[in-house]
């Protein structure tokens, strides 16, 4: 059974940093691309970032480019999202998601999400 | 970048059929696959259609997807509506720079 468990969310002040982690199990982590998707309170889904299976290629939404960094440690079956220069508009539930293939594709499994609140 | 536009809400009666559209603002809808996700209230999203018209295992065949080049849109059709289908539905695709794009979401009410 595929399991994705996010951690690292919490309350942070504007301008601060946070690192999200996603522990994956139940599949060969190194064979699949992974995606972060966020959802602000009461709003729709927003694609944030994607990393291909080997970790060498990453993609970002314009809204987070230059501030967020996606990475993965295939030896630890863990996905990360380093978030710097956080803004109030980054407040959201962040979902870790497994892609269908080794490259960008449909999400086929979602984590439960971790809440990030940016506020003073 | 392009925008995917969905109706804000749709409603239909149990047993009926409903179609949710997802219109691409620029570029061909056929350029990149469209995927559809269902998010029931208080729950995590799940995939109901991937690659325009493919249904994941476990998703009932009441759910179907298609694209229409003439209207530059994708559609999610749910037949034999059940109250459990009441949810928010999102379409999603990728642009040429490999950025993901979600539609704004459609709230389906089954009344």
């Amino acid at each position: 059974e595929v399991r994705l468990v996010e951690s690292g969310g919490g309350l942070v002040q504007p301008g601060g940093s946070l690192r999200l982690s996603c522990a994956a199990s139940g599949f060969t982590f190194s064979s699949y691309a992974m995606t972060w998707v966020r959802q602000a309170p009461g709003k729709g889904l927003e694609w944030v970032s994607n990393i291909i299976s080997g970790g060498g290629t990453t993609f970002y939404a314009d809204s987070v480019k230059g501030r967020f960094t996606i990475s993965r440690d295939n030896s630890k079956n863990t996905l990360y999202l380093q978030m710097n220069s956080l803004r109030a508009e980054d407040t959201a539930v962040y979902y870790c998601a497994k892609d269908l293939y080794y490259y960008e594709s449909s999400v086929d499994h979602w984590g439960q999400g971790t809440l990030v609140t940016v506020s003073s | 970048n392009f925008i995917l536009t969905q109706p804000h809400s749709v409603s239909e009666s149990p047993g009926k059929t409903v179609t949710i559209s997802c219109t691409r603002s620029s570029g061909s809808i056929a350029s990149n696959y469209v995927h559809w996700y269902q998010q029931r209230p208080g729950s995590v999203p799940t995939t109901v259609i991937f690659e325009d018209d493919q249904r994941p295992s476990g998703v009932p065949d009441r759910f179907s997807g298609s694209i229409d080049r003439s209207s530059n849109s994708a559609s999610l059709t749910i037949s034999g509506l059940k109250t459990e289908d009441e949810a928010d539905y999102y379409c999603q695709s990728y642009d040429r720079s490999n950025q993901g794009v979600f539609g704004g979401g459609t709230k389906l009410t089954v009344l």
Side-chain angles (χ1 to χ4, degrees), chain A residues 75-109:
Chain A
S75 68
K76 295 182 178 179
N77 291 349
T78 304
L79 176 72
Y80 303 101
L81 186 67
Q82 177 67 43
M83 304 186 295
N84 299 331
S85 303
L86 282 162
R87 306 165 180 168
E89 54 264 37
D90 295 319
T91 294
V93 172
Y94 285 73
Y95 294 105
C96 163
K98 171 189 169 293
D99 282 22
L100 194 54
Y101 306 123
Y102 69 90
Y103 54 89
E104 274 191 330
S105 49
S106 168
V107 166
D108 66 351
H109 288 87

Side-chain angles (χ1 to χ4, degrees), chain A residues 50-66:
Chain A
N50 177 277
I51 185 167
I52 67 168
S53 60
T57 302
T58 58
F59 305 102
Y60 298 93
D62 289 342
S63 58
V64 306
K65 199 174 294 183

Side-chain angles (χ1 to χ4, degrees), chain A residues 35 44 47 54 107:
Chain A
T35 297
W47 183 90
V107 166

Side-chain angles (χ1 to χ4, degrees), chain B residues 35-84:
Chain B
H35 318 296
W36 290 90
Y37 305 101
Q38 175 194 67
Q39 186 176 33
R40 293 189 174 109
S43 296
V44 172
T46 61
T47 307
V48 291
I49 293 290
F50 67 96
E51 295 180 355
D52 298 341
D53 58 6
Q54 301 299 300
R55 204 171 42 251
S57 61
V59 174
D61 60 6
R62 302 184 296 105
F63 289 80
S64 63
S66 64
I67 63 169
D68 180 355
R69 289 171 173 79
S70 65
S71 60
N72 213 36
S73 64
S75 293
L76 173 68
T77 298
I78 310 170
S79 60
L81 275 170
K82 300 183 176 183
T83 54
E84 68 202 46

Side-chain angles (χ1 to χ4, degrees), chain A residues 3-54:
Chain A
R3 266 200 97 205
L4 300 168
V5 180
E6 302 95 336
S7 60
L11 175 64
V12 61
Q13 292 189 337
S17 298
L18 216 52
R19 188 175 86 154
L20 306 183
S21 299
C22 171
S25 60
F27 64 102
T28 305
F29 181 72
S30 60
S31 296
Y32 296 91
M34 298 293 293
T35 297
W36 287 101
V37 175
R38 68 185 182 184
Q39 187 169 33
K43 302 296 184 182
L45 301 175
E46 180 185 8
W47 183 90
V48 174
S49 182
N50 177 277
I51 185 167
I52 67 168
S53 60

